Amino acid sequence: MNVFIVYAHPSEDSFTRRVRDRFIAGLESAGHRHTVSDLYRMNFRTDMSEEEYLREACYRLEAPVPEDVRLEQEKINRSDGIVFIYPVFWSDVPAKLKGWFDRVWTYGFAYGLQKDGRRSMKQLEKGLVICSAGNTMDYFRETGILKSMERTMLDDRLYDRVKTKELVILEATSRENSSREENWDSRLDRVFSLAVKFFE
Ligand SMILES: Cc1cc2nc3c(=O)[nH]c(=O)nc-3n(C[C@H](O)[C@H](O)[C@H](O)COP(=O)(O)O)c2cc1C
């Protein structure tokens, strides 16, 4: 499979960076090809321009899609699967990734034109969301935040744009957590296995 990885973390000195590298190692060991968009490294612009807003809000649908957005859309349409790797920030994706959705999921690409509902985005076979988080799974379940993240990422952002999808949280991975280092290898082994098995 061709797998497109959308990665968003501001620092290479992070657990999440290791997740990215281990995931790529898993893909390679299973013989998959991959492309990475490292949004902070690319300095991907995440604020919408007024022109983009007017296009997305159907004031001026004839406005062109910006080149950096078009390149991301091409990467999607050349892929069979998509993976998002990021740290949970305030119970959601970092603003960098939120802005990627705002700009890349354009009208006519990711959602339909009112008259015929057609979209030019390819329907992807598989989508995987892997996020690292300071809190525990128990906390995410008890507070309803897990459900909220699944609804937002899987049911809304990925929706029917991806056929098979899953969200995985690597819990209790923030630096102040003393057990972070103890759990490190098992978390990364899980990431490697996911890369091998999910895209079979
Ligand atoms: C601005 C900010 C907001 C965060 N918000 C959350 C949060 O809402 N829930 C949570 O579990 N962890 C939260 N965290 C913790 C990160 O998810 C955690 O530090 C990261 O996943 C793992 O560490 P890494 O940066 O070494 O990859 C937040 C961290 C930062 C910097």
Side-chain angles (χ1 to χ4, degrees), residues 9 14-16 87-91 132-135 140 173-174 180:
H9 194 294
S14 65
F15 172 72
T16 312
V88 172
F89 281 1
W90 295 110
S91 306
S132 57
N135 286 312
F140 284 121
T173 55
S174 59
R180 160 173 140 134

Side-chain angles (χ1 to χ4, degrees), residues 33 48 61 65 82-84 92 99 105 111 114 138-139 144 159 175 183 199:
R33 287 184 295 275
M48 256 190 182
L61 270 177
V65 171
I82 191 162
V83 183
F84 297 90
D92 196 358
W105 259 208
Y111 58 108
Q114 268 166 1
D138 284 346
Y139 171 84
Y159 185 52
R175 202 166 186 114
N183 299 328
F199 295 98

Side-chain angles (χ1 to χ4, degrees), residues 45-119:
R45 177 167 66 80
T46 49
D47 287 340
M48 256 190 182
S49 64
E50 184 183 6
E51 190 181 40
E52 285 175 278
Y53 169 74
L54 292 174
R55 185 184 184 285
E56 294 315 304
C58 307
Y59 287 86
R60 283 187 213 147
L61 270 177
E62 69 284 2
V65 171
E67 181 63 6
D68 61 342
V69 169
R70 207 183 51 72
L71 289 174
E72 293 302 292
Q73 293 177 341
E74 276 179 16
K75 289 177 201 169
I76 293 169
N77 279 357
R78 281 199 303 266
S79 304
D80 310 296
I82 191 162
V83 183
F84 297 90
I85 301 177
Y86 61 87
V88 172
F89 281 1
W90 295 110
S91 306
D92 196 358
V93 298
K96 198 75 168 161
L97 180 53
K98 173 60 167 59
W100 184 91
F101 280 109
D102 288 353
R103 295 189 62 235
V104 175
W105 259 208
T106 58
Y107 199 84
F109 176 74
Y111 58 108
L113 296 163
Q114 268 166 1
K115 284 196 186 113
D116 55 16
R118 268 191 293 145
R119 326 183 282 224

Side-chain angles (χ1 to χ4, degrees), residues 145-160:
I145 292 171
L146 174 62
K147 199 29 101 192
S148 137
M149 291 201 284
E150 286 172 343
R151 284 251 183 271
T152 307
M153 276 307 280
L154 303 182
D155 300 342
D156 183 57
R157 292 177 186 149
L158 298 192
Y159 185 52
D160 68 352

Side-chain angles (χ1 to χ4, degrees), residues 166-180:
E166 191 176 326
L167 179 139
V168 173
I169 299 177
L170 305 168
E171 63 180 338
T173 55
S174 59
R175 202 166 186 114
E176 79 265 16
N177 188 326
S178 55
S179 64
R180 160 173 140 134

Side-chain angles (χ1 to χ4, degrees), residues 127-130 154 158 162 164-168 190 194 198:
L128 184 59
V129 177
I130 306 178
L154 303 182
L158 298 192
V162 176
T164 305
K165 54 208 166 204
E166 191 176 326
L167 179 139
V168 173
R190 185 178 171 202
L194 266 171
F198 190 75

